[in-house]
Amino acid sequence: DLARHLVAYRFAQERVRGKEALDAGCGDGYGTDLLAQTASRATGVDRNPDTIAVARRRYQRPNLAYRVC
């Protein structure tokens, strides 16, 4: 499952280069962090506040944000 997700995020990385990206259902945030490597801004949203707390601790970049939604 992880390998499949990584392939999808790597594919998306080039498409969000210089753009704003929204990662709906971001889980623990690893994919949103990958998007933030090329996007001008990346926001990950998830409905689970505990999961968002983990993402915020693990991944920090100036152009990266996580929100409970």
Side-chain angles (χ1 to χ4, degrees), residues 32-33 35-43 60-65:
T32 315
D33 182 62
L35 296 176
Q37 292 176 15
T38 57
S40 63
R41 177 151 186 82
T43 303
Q60 298 177 14
R61 296 175 184 272
N63 66 333
L64 177 60

Side-chain angles (χ1 to χ4, degrees), residues 46-61:
D46 201 279
R47 67 183 185 162
N48 186 322
D50 295 331
T51 303
I52 290 296
V54 169
R56 287 178 178 156
R57 277 193 311 272
R58 285 185 183 167
Y59 306 104
Q60 298 177 14
R61 296 175 184 272

Side-chain angles (χ1 to χ4, degrees), residues 16 19-26 32 35 39 41-45 67:
V16 300
K19 300 176 184 177
E20 292 186 20
L22 174 65
D23 186 11
C26 69
T32 315
L35 296 176
R41 177 151 186 82
T43 303
V45 297
R67 304 281 183 256

